[in-house]
Amino acid sequence: MAIGDEQLNNTTPNHTTTTSTTGNFITGITTFPSIDHNHPLYLQPTETPVSSLISVQLTGLDNYALWSHAMRIGLLGKNKLCFVNGRFPKSKFEHELHDLWEKVNAIVLSWIMNVVRPGLLSSVLEVHTLTQGTMTVTDYFSKIKELWDEFDALSWLPLS
């Protein structure tokens, strides 16, 4: 279960910075919000980039529905679905937690990449990073369609 906005406000830090001068050195101590096992930024010690979240590998369109369902269940169980569905973008968290958000996001991306057939991975990553930018809607749609056609063509190749 992801944390609602009303609970997120409870994690606002008591941000205090204590500065003391010792010779020529200044040391500062900053306190951060408490992150417990229910917080979406919490990581178990075993949740690493090389750990496997699910055992189903995405091989193409033929098993996408099964893979997607298994991945959603796995991410929900780890309280990390909010990284995929956009519920908690980095901007929802205090500035002090942005580095931690980046770390958790990288781990979630690695879990996804670990279960995509290597031949498909480059196409998936290309689609993931595509932004419209200054392209017209027509050009952007054409680029997306081109990438998905490439993905579709690769999905029918034999397994690596």
Side-chain angles (χ1 to χ4, degrees):
M1 179 171 95
I3 296 175
D5 290 337
E6 61 281 349
Q7 290 176 322
L8 189 58
N9 291 335
N10 292 336
T11 64
T12 302
N14 293 332
H15 182 84
T16 58
T17 302
T18 307
T19 306
S20 62
T21 306
T22 309
N24 293 332
F25 299 99
I26 297 176
T27 59
I29 301 170
T30 302
T31 60
F32 293 96
S34 173
I35 295 180
D36 66 12
H37 68 281
N38 290 317
H39 196 283
L41 295 180
Y42 179 80
L43 287 171
Q44 297 283 345
T46 58
E47 294 175 341
T48 66
V50 295
S51 59
S52 293
L53 186 61
I54 61 172
S55 60
V56 179
Q57 183 181 47
L58 176 63
T59 58
L61 294 176
D62 57 323
N63 79 331
Y64 176 78
L66 173 65
W67 176 86
S68 176
H69 188 69
M71 184 58 71
R72 285 180 166 279
I73 290 171
L75 290 169
L76 184 63
K78 296 286 189 181
N79 196 20
K80 302 296 183 270
L81 186 59
C82 58
F83 284 84
V84 176
N85 66 14
R87 183 164 181 203
F88 287 117
K90 183 167 55 171
S91 61
K92 281 264 197 177
F93 295 95
E94 296 292 328
H95 180 72
E96 294 82 8
L97 294 176
H98 285 189
D99 287 343
L100 181 57
W101 186 95
E102 290 285 348
K103 176 184 177 179
V104 175
N105 189 58
I107 289 174
V108 170
L109 287 173
S110 71
W111 289 344
I112 295 169
M113 293 179 347
N114 288 343
V115 290
V116 174
R117 191 180 85 191
L120 297 178
L121 193 54
S122 63
S123 294
V124 170
L125 290 175
E126 217 174 324
V127 170
H128 167 72
T129 59
L130 182 65
T131 58
Q132 183 176 356
T134 59
M135 285 188 272
T136 66
V137 172
T138 304
D139 289 342
Y140 182 59
F141 176 79
S142 296
K143 184 64 177 172
I144 290 175
K145 183 164 178 1
E146 175 186 319
L147 291 171
W148 277 114
D149 288 346
E150 180 184 329
F151 174 78
D152 192 27
L154 288 172
S155 69
W156 298 108
L157 295 176
L159 295 177
S160 335

